[in-house]
Amino acid sequence: MISKLSWILFIPLTLAAAFCKLAQTIMPDGAIFGLSDMMLDYVVIGCVALIFLFALIMCLCDRKISKYYLPHRNFGAGILGILLALVMAADGADAIYRIIGADKINVLAIIEAVMLILAAIVFVVMGLTHSFSNKNKKGFSLLYVMPALLCAVRLIRCFVEFTTISITLADVTRLFCYIFATMFFFNYAVTLSLTEAKNAVKSCFIYGFPASAALIAYATGNLYANFDTDNIMNNAHYVEIALMGLYILAFLIELTIFVKDKDHVIIEDEDDVDYKDIHDGEISDSEDFVVTGVDDEERAETPASSYISTADTSDFLYQEKKDDSNRESSYYKAAINDVNDYITVESQPEKEKDDRPLSYTEQLDEIDKLILEISGDE
């Protein structure tokens, strides 16, 4: 599948972007080819944009990739998801503590703190799912959107913060981090919940590669330059971004290895099956359809219309029966034909009941009558 070729530019450009962000902190201004810190930010943005455009072209040219994907076990993504959930929960609790102690009420800060707690719950569920099971319930589809909503809220906060400071002091790369992360986690939620969508799996490639590159590059430079040893909780934001980028990268590796093409995926409506998902011989619960993986060997061993090609009916005799439109049903006809060979005696009508007492001769049975006849003859 052509979509997998997106790795070609992702690896070198991600390393280049991380190096540029790191060079801003360890080298003096203009030491890298005479570029200032702002120019290095633009280089990072350019690398992320090239990754996005290349992935977009590869996915648009890919006509074989399936639009459905069932997650597999991924211990790397499971561990990263649980670690990310712990950091988010701690950051959310610290944010709530700071909001309570503040004099002013910041609505965006409150919303972000709530989203952090909810996103932490989601990453715990996804981390355990990646580690121990590959089954996904569609009932969690609403919760899967929480990471995307968290990134969207943080994106809004970035815009609000940048309006209060000079553009030369703003780190624009953070905007690109949350733009691509929001788009990725939204399509990621659609993919995990097995919601019918046209390009959800492709969109995970399109937005996942630039999101992972931007997040890893941004976290690399800021963790090295702005790490706070006095208050560890001040580093939670950068740690979250780093773990988020690594988590997206781990899922992209899984998706690249296990994604199927359209010819190997069979979708059945819920009316045809008993709510089962079968994928590569593994059965998992679902609510709407069936995704069946068909291996190439199985497809080769089972030719189309095998019964028609092997069945021999040349020596078979058959007789066409005309449709009888009589009112009697076929079952009733068969019942009549079965009793045609039996001798049936039509029952005689009962004699009218006589209340008069019977005579002596009438009271005798047939044997007594026969004896009287014989004795009379003598």
Side-chain angles (χ1 to χ4, degrees), residues 39 84 92 136 150 188 217 257 266-267 333 343:
M39 290 180 180
L84 181 58
N136 283 273
L150 172 63
Y188 182 50
I257 296 173
I266 301 172
I267 309 299
K333 289 181 181 179
I343 299 175

Side-chain angles (χ1 to χ4, degrees), residues 3 18 29 43 52 62 119 150 166 190 234-235 241 318 354 365:
S3 301
D29 193 7
V43 173
F52 169 71
D62 193 350
L150 172 63
S166 174
V190 175
N234 291 335
N235 305 311
I241 292 178
Y318 69 95
D354 192 359
D365 56 10

Side-chain angles (χ1 to χ4, degrees), residues 92-105:
D94 182 68
I96 293 174
Y97 176 78
R98 284 186 278 106
I99 291 171
I100 294 174
D103 297 333
K104 296 181 180 179
I105 297 177

Side-chain angles (χ1 to χ4, degrees), residues 86-339:
L86 294 176
V87 176
M88 282 186 171
D91 191 17
D94 182 68
I96 293 174
Y97 176 78
R98 284 186 278 106
I99 291 171
I100 294 174
D103 297 333
K104 296 181 180 179
I105 297 177
N106 190 337
V107 178
L108 285 177
I110 295 174
I111 296 175
E112 181 182 354
V114 174
M115 289 297 175
L116 279 169
I117 301 298
L118 295 177
I121 297 173
V122 173
F123 278 111
V124 167
V125 174
M126 291 193 295
L128 295 176
T129 301
H130 282 300
S131 301
F132 301 107
S133 175
N134 64 346
K135 298 178 181 180
N136 283 273
K137 299 291 185 182
K138 195 171 181 181
F140 288 109
S141 58
L142 182 61
L143 287 177
Y144 288 145
V145 185
M146 292 303 167
L149 296 178
L150 172 63
C151 294
V153 172
R154 284 187 166 176
L155 178 62
I156 296 172
R157 290 199 69 181
C158 286
F159 279 113
V160 174
E161 290 176 7
F162 290 169
T163 57
T164 60
I165 60 177
S166 174
I167 190 63
T168 58
L169 301 176
D171 192 350
V172 187
T173 56
R174 187 164 53 146
L175 288 176
F176 282 80
C177 290
Y178 289 126
I179 288 173
F180 288 112
T182 301
M183 297 303 298
F184 168 78
F185 280 115
F186 175 77
N187 290 280
Y188 182 50
V190 175
T191 302
L192 288 184
S193 60
L194 297 176
T195 304
E196 185 175 358
K198 187 176 181 180
N199 295 316
V201 177
K202 284 185 179 181
S203 297
C204 287
F205 281 114
I206 294 172
Y207 299 109
F209 284 111
S212 179
L215 291 167
I216 292 174
Y218 179 82
T220 301
N222 284 279
L223 280 175
Y224 181 83
N226 302 322
F227 191 82
D228 192 350
T229 57
D230 296 331
N231 189 356
I232 301 297
M233 288 307 302
N234 291 335
N235 305 311
H237 179 72
Y238 300 124
V239 174
E240 287 171 14
I241 292 178
L243 291 175
M244 195 178 295
L246 293 175
Y247 177 83
I248 295 174
L249 180 61
F251 177 75
L252 290 175
I253 295 173
E254 174 195 334
L255 189 63
T256 303
I257 296 173
F258 296 107
V259 68
K260 297 287 185 179
D261 56 24
K262 292 180 180 179
D263 297 334
H264 292 163
V265 176
I266 301 172
I267 309 299
E268 297 182 7
D269 295 332
E270 61 179 350
D271 295 335
D272 299 333
V273 294
D274 189 15
Y275 302 105
K276 295 288 184 181
D277 273 357
I278 308 172
H279 188 64
D280 294 337
E282 299 178 0
I283 300 177
S284 60
D285 296 336
S286 181
E287 295 185 1
D288 287 328
F289 43 77
V290 170
V291 182
T292 306
V294 183
D295 297 334
D296 293 331
E297 297 180 357
E298 183 180 353
R299 183 180 295 276
E301 293 175 359
T302 308
S305 303
S306 59
Y307 176 77
I308 298 175
S309 60
T310 57
D312 185 11
T313 59
S314 59
D315 297 332
F316 287 10
L317 298 178
Y318 69 95
Q319 181 180 0
E320 184 177 358
K321 293 185 178 181
K322 297 181 179 180
D323 185 17
D324 193 354
S325 60
N326 291 336
R327 299 175 64 182
E328 297 176 345
S329 64
S330 58
Y331 176 79
Y332 181 69
K333 289 181 181 179
I336 294 177
N337 293 332
D338 290 341
V339 298

